[in-house]
Amino acid sequence: MENVTNGEKLESIKSLQSTIRKLENALSQMTQKGANTTLVKKRLKAVCIGLAMLENVWNQCPHHYTQEDLGKSRNVLAGLLPSIENIYMKSKVGSPQRTLLERRIKALKLAVQAIDEHSITK
């Protein structure tokens, strides 16, 4: 994680914050419609933990998550990557969507790496 520039750190944190807002909006809409929210809740928690871990590594912000929480979140975040990468490959080169997806992929990979590195040190 040493080779991450300040710009990349900022972009990654902003990307995960944006992802959290989108998941919160999806959760709210699905709850109103009475739809099953299990998957969205699981993803929301995983992205929140991923963000907390990046902030822990880069800004020394404390977190309160257990090894079990971290392990589950790591699996959820890693599981999201193939579908996002697939959408990225289909997106138009130079489009805002492609840039957003690029940043989201990088942020998720860094979050998984932060969780992995934290788990190794424990």
Side-chain angles (χ1 to χ4, degrees), residues 6 15 21 36 59 61 68 74 81 86 103 106-107 120:
N6 286 336
S15 177
R21 283 192 301 275
N36 187 338
N59 303 326
C61 296
E68 183 181 358
R74 187 218 179 276
L81 283 168
N86 189 29
R103 289 178 182 163
K106 181 155 186 82
I120 290 170

Side-chain angles (χ1 to χ4, degrees), residues 15 18-19 22 84 100-108:
S15 177
S18 170
T19 303
K22 288 180 181 188
I84 296 172
L100 183 142
L101 291 169
E102 209 169 90
R103 289 178 182 163
R104 186 166 292 154
I105 290 166
K106 181 155 186 82
L108 290 173

Side-chain angles (χ1 to χ4, degrees), residues 2-93:
E2 300 86 33
N3 298 333
V4 182
T5 67
N6 286 336
E8 290 171 323
K9 290 176 183 179
L10 185 61
E11 280 181 355
S12 294
I13 287 173
K14 283 183 177 179
S15 177
L16 291 183
Q17 289 170 337
S18 170
T19 303
I20 289 168
R21 283 192 301 275
K22 288 180 181 188
L23 286 168
E24 287 172 341
N25 289 337
L27 179 61
S28 174
Q29 290 175 358
M30 291 172 75
T31 301
Q32 288 173 1
K33 293 178 183 175
N36 187 338
T37 58
T38 306
L39 184 61
V40 174
K41 285 179 182 175
K42 189 182 291 188
R43 288 178 176 174
L44 178 59
K45 181 176 181 181
V47 175
C48 287
I49 291 173
L51 176 61
M53 291 310 298
L54 289 181
E55 290 179 334
N56 175 261
V57 170
W58 293 333
N59 303 326
Q60 289 70 50
C61 296
H63 71 85
H64 59 276
Y65 298 107
T66 65
Q67 283 300 121
E68 183 181 358
D69 288 336
L70 295 176
K72 287 179 182 178
S73 295
R74 187 218 179 276
N75 291 338
V76 170
L77 296 176
L80 285 172
L81 283 168
S83 60
I84 296 172
E85 288 169 340
N86 189 29
I87 296 166
Y88 173 80
M89 296 306 287
K90 294 177 183 177
S91 66
K92 186 178 175 187
V93 175

